[in-house]
Amino acid sequence: MAEENMRDDGVRETAPGADAPDATGSRESGPRANGSRAAGTGGAVRDVAGGGDGEAGGAGPEAGAPGIGRGLLLLMSVAAGLSVAGNYFAQPLLDTIGDDLGLGSSLAALVVTVAQVGYGLGLVFLVPLGDLVERRRLAVGLTAATAAFLTVTASAPSGALLLVGTALTGFTSVAAQVVVPYAATLAAPHERGRTVGTVMSGLLLGILLARTAAGVLADLGGWRTVYWVNATLMAILAVLLHRYLPRLRPTSTLRYPALLRSTAALLGQEPVLRRRAAIGALTFGSFSVLWTAMTFLLSGPDYRWSDSAIGLLGLVGAASSLVASISGRLADRGLAHQVSRVGALLLLLSWGPLLAAGPGGPWAVAALLLGVLTLDLAVQGVHISSQNLVYAVRPEARNRLNSAYMSSYFAGGAAGSAITSGVWAAGGWPATCVAGAALAAGALLLAAPAAPRPATPAP
């Protein structure tokens, strides 16, 4: 029989010669992995019933699946990126939007916070539906709704309506988080890490390039143009998803209230999920501290950058999307824990050059670029490795696992954005860097290997 030992997150490692491991080194066999689906780019799907205890089975192609074609993988990556981009357009435009609508810097920063709060609520109340309703219908419906709510933001005559449109857009833009486990379900087991990494690369590019696109479009036609363009693209995307996404029947027969309760229960039942959710909240909180405060620093007297120049800084962070694919491939080799630890360490170290960049000066831009690149690389490495570890816990409940993990992740991001305005007002850029570094240190402590337990003496 195969020898096993427990890693620090409670995931079993299997010795050579054992059953083939999944992307994180933990096996998916037995009742949790029964049932499979196979899908190609053409949309043909094979459902195999299985499961029990309220589960409809068919958790994913855990055995014998042909994987996901490149065309469909590209479409899902674009869908993830465009869906989430609308939540980040405002970051380089806070001063411009504030001046147009008569908002102060603290109220303008709330636009970012409200978007993340809306996204977090969508993660809690909408993403679990991927286990309960047909996933193509859910993904297309959320994409179309996001297009509609972006038009509300684009035409907002006041700060209040802007916040409403932003919150609703954030709520339905969780289509991105329906697409990620969707792709994981379609992927062959030995390619799951790479597939998740590729789709997440699209999502991350959407987050990072949203700032660049926002700056350029705002310079061309004003900040409202940014949202009108995104609304049009989301409407087109809804049509494409309806045409090309394969159908996947639900994996659960639970009623909606029970489904939500089961999502919360997973946090109590799964130690891997709890730890990874906490690490995710701290890392994304640190990320949000930087990008919320960045606009205030770069538009201030030490830099005086334009909206488009601030947005172009997102191109530096876009390089970190390469880490998503690499992290996914390393996860397929069972190295997710190591990637997570290295990423958490780099996240903490990144705040050194960022602090040095605050006063401006001849080397300030170089220090700023180094800090931004290191921080973005670190955050994405930790995030992708954590997602692969979480998805391995219960394949038949991936949408609920993703809901629990990503809810914690974006709650951390919302908290990071919320504290930034107060920290900035109290101590400016140095205080902001201390806050970001403190969150990174917490993530590093949680990602570190657990101390070995002393052996229990034999009676």
Side-chain angles (χ1 to χ4, degrees):
M1 190 171 81
E3 295 182 1
E4 296 179 341
N5 56 70
M6 298 299 289
R7 295 203 286 216
D8 55 285
D9 270 354
V11 177
R12 286 186 175 84
E13 288 183 323
T14 306
D19 295 341
D22 78 334
T24 65
S26 63
R27 291 182 298 174
E28 294 181 359
S29 58
R32 285 187 180 180
N34 55 8
S36 65
R37 300 173 191 270
T41 57
V45 181
R46 173 171 54 86
D47 289 344
V48 179
D53 298 328
E55 301 298 336
E62 309 301 329
I68 181 172
R70 291 183 180 180
L72 182 56
L73 186 58
L74 176 61
L75 176 62
M76 298 178 89
S77 301
V78 172
L82 281 177
S83 295
V84 77
N87 297 323
Y88 296 89
F89 285 141
Q91 287 188 346
L93 307 175
L94 293 178
D95 280 353
T96 302
I97 294 173
D99 290 343
D100 185 40
L101 298 179
L103 305 176
S105 60
S106 296
L107 284 176
L110 273 180
V111 175
V112 178
T113 303
V114 164
Q116 291 176 338
V117 170
Y119 197 84
L121 291 173
L123 288 168
V124 172
F125 294 106
L126 296 180
V127 171
L129 288 171
D131 289 335
L132 186 62
V133 302
E134 198 278 306
R135 289 189 213 179
R136 185 181 73 172
R137 184 191 314 163
L138 179 62
V140 171
L142 291 175
T143 302
T146 301
F149 293 139
L150 281 166
T151 65
V152 175
T153 303
S155 58
S158 64
L161 194 56
L162 175 73
L163 292 176
V164 170
T166 299
L168 292 173
T169 297
F171 186 62
T172 56
S173 66
V174 293
Q177 294 302 331
V178 172
V179 168
V180 177
Y182 202 150
T185 299
L186 296 174
H190 66 282
E191 295 180 340
R192 188 175 303 119
R194 179 185 65 83
T195 299
V196 171
T198 300
V199 177
M200 284 302 301
S201 293
L203 187 149
L204 299 172
L205 281 172
I207 293 175
L208 295 168
L209 295 183
R211 303 176 180 91
T212 303
V216 173
L217 290 172
D219 279 354
L220 291 175
W223 68 268
R224 297 179 189 274
T225 303
V226 179
Y227 293 96
W228 284 118
V229 169
N230 192 213
T232 302
L233 293 176
M234 290 299 290
I236 295 172
L237 183 61
V239 175
L240 293 176
L241 291 176
H242 183 269
R243 172 66 180 83
Y244 292 107
L245 278 182
R247 291 181 179 272
L248 287 181
R249 66 176 181 172
T251 59
S252 176
T253 57
L254 296 172
R255 293 183 180 276
Y256 182 63
L259 191 77
L260 296 181
R261 288 195 298 271
S262 73
T263 302
L266 286 170
L267 281 168
Q269 296 165 358
E270 301 294 346
V272 175
L273 176 61
R274 284 198 302 276
R275 175 177 287 198
R276 290 293 144 184
I279 291 172
L282 290 168
T283 54
F284 197 57
S286 186
F287 177 91
S288 295
V289 166
L290 171 66
W291 285 103
T292 302
M294 188 70 75
T295 301
F296 302 134
L297 174 70
L298 297 182
S299 62
D302 292 324
Y303 285 85
R304 299 186 184 279
W305 285 16
S306 67
D307 287 344
S308 58
I310 295 173
L312 285 173
L313 195 61
L315 291 176
V316 178
S320 66
S321 65
L322 299 175
V323 173
S325 180
I326 295 171
S327 297
R329 293 176 187 273
L330 290 174
D332 286 336
R333 299 177 184 177
L335 300 174
H337 290 277
Q338 291 88 329
V339 172
S340 180
R341 291 164 192 153
V342 171
L345 177 60
L346 288 175
L347 177 62
L348 177 59
L349 294 177
S350 70
W351 285 100
L354 288 171
L355 177 62
W363 296 100
V365 173
L368 181 69
L369 295 177
L370 175 61
V372 168
L373 180 60
T374 304
L375 182 140
D376 283 351
L377 288 171
V379 169
Q380 309 323 332
V382 174
H383 179 47
I384 300 304
S385 58
S386 291
Q387 273 194 312
N388 278 283
L389 288 164
V390 167
Y391 286 165
V393 173
R394 294 191 185 181
E396 79 283 357
R398 280 202 179 109
N399 285 277
R400 280 166 283 168
L401 289 168
N402 198 44
S403 171
Y405 169 72
M406 291 303 301
S407 294
S408 301
Y409 191 78
F410 276 89
S417 294
I419 67 173
T420 300
S421 57
V423 170
W424 178 270
W429 185 249
T432 299
C433 290
V434 170
L439 294 172
L444 180 59
L445 288 174
L446 287 176
R453 295 179 181 178
T456 303

